[in-house]
Amino acid sequence: MNGQEKSGPAIVAGKPTNEAERSGSEPVEPRAGTEGNADQQSTSRAQNREAVTQALERIRQAARRNRKEKFTALMHHISVDLLEKAFLDSRKTAAPGIDGVTWRDYEANLEGNLADLHERVQSGAYRATPSRRVFIPKPDGGRRPLAVAALEDKIVQRAAVAVLNAIYEEDFLGFSYGFRPGRGAHDALDALSTAINRAKVNFILDADIAKFFDTGEPGLAHPFP
């Protein structure tokens, strides 16, 4: 655990204010060229990121104003700027998919590649390619299947997730941690540790969905004196 005092009461029982999507991307290395061109490129990308952030915030505000509102037209939010941000947020050293295209390969003609990808997405011509399947050994001797998507598929997926997160993050409660941006299992353990040490806890329920479907057992209830 990362320290019992790291998680405040709001993390356990409250619903924190949803902020604009935080980026974990690394600084982009400028391509070969003059220093002025590199500065212009950096400025342009910063402006594009700001435009993307503002667009997502407008979606977030609309979802916040009316929880029952249905969003029926979202495709136009998948812009070239959002696709570029999704690309830059991807790991440069990630394993390539079945097509063998790496981050550096795609970056070599980034503007043209993103323009072509955007046109295919908006026209309906885009089709995801099959993922490359690998198996990761598990401590118990089993193997965990892992699907490695092609880089373009990762870009489109990240862009779509950014738009959907702006909507659905407004519906989550503060104690929800699974598959949410900026949260993970260690954050959940921090919050659980804080709750156990600050309030009376009668039991902890550990439910494994995979095991539930395999055996029909919903999980184990662990008594906590």
Side-chain angles (χ1 to χ4, degrees):
M1 296 183 186
N2 299 329
Q4 297 178 357
E5 299 304 321
K6 181 179 176 182
S7 299
I11 295 180
V12 178
K15 180 176 180 181
T17 302
N18 290 295
E19 301 176 354
E21 182 185 26
R22 290 172 289 182
S23 170
S25 62
E26 302 176 51
V28 179
E29 299 176 4
R31 301 178 195 168
T34 65
E35 183 177 351
N37 289 340
D39 289 343
Q40 291 174 1
Q41 184 182 65
S42 178
T43 300
S44 176
R45 284 182 173 173
Q47 292 173 342
N48 291 346
R49 280 180 172 270
E50 181 62 25
V52 168
T53 299
Q54 292 175 356
L56 294 177
E57 180 59 27
R58 287 193 293 271
I59 299 174
R60 190 174 290 108
Q61 289 175 359
R64 188 179 303 152
R65 284 194 302 268
N66 187 354
R67 298 298 178 86
K68 295 183 179 180
E69 182 175 356
K70 293 183 179 181
F71 292 82
T72 58
L74 295 173
M75 185 63 74
H76 64 283
H77 292 293
I78 307 296
S79 62
V80 173
D81 291 342
L82 181 57
L83 292 172
E84 180 182 38
K85 181 180 183 302
F87 169 77
L88 295 175
D89 287 348
S90 301
R91 285 197 303 120
K92 298 179 182 179
T93 57
I98 198 170
D99 59 355
V101 177
T102 66
W103 195 97
R104 293 296 184 187
D105 294 335
Y106 205 82
E107 194 231 6
N109 183 28
L110 183 59
E111 185 176 343
N113 286 333
L114 291 178
D116 176 66
L117 177 59
H118 178 259
E119 194 281 328
R120 282 183 283 130
V121 168
Q122 295 297 329
S123 67
Y126 166 78
R127 293 293 183 271
T129 57
S131 295
R132 181 164 65 90
R133 178 59 60 93
V134 296
F135 292 90
I136 308 299
K138 297 171 63 176
D140 61 3
R143 297 192 304 168
R144 176 179 291 106
L146 178 66
V148 182
L151 181 59
E152 277 200 336
D153 297 335
K154 293 178 184 178
I155 295 172
V156 175
Q157 289 168 12
R158 278 180 175 271
V161 166
V163 174
L164 295 177
N165 274 343
I167 298 171
Y168 292 114
E169 271 294 296
E170 296 302 317
D171 295 329
F172 282 105
L173 299 177
F175 51 74
S176 298
Y177 290 87
F179 302 99
R180 296 181 64 191
R183 296 190 176 210
H186 289 291
D187 300 301
L189 289 174
D190 265 350
L192 180 61
S193 174
T194 301
I196 291 173
N197 284 278
R198 293 185 180 181
K200 179 178 175 58
V201 177
N202 295 321
F203 65 88
I204 298 174
L205 179 64
D206 176 18
D208 190 317
I209 296 177
K211 291 181 179 179
F212 174 80
F213 285 108
D214 288 341
T215 66
E217 297 292 335
L220 298 176
H222 302 290
F224 195 87

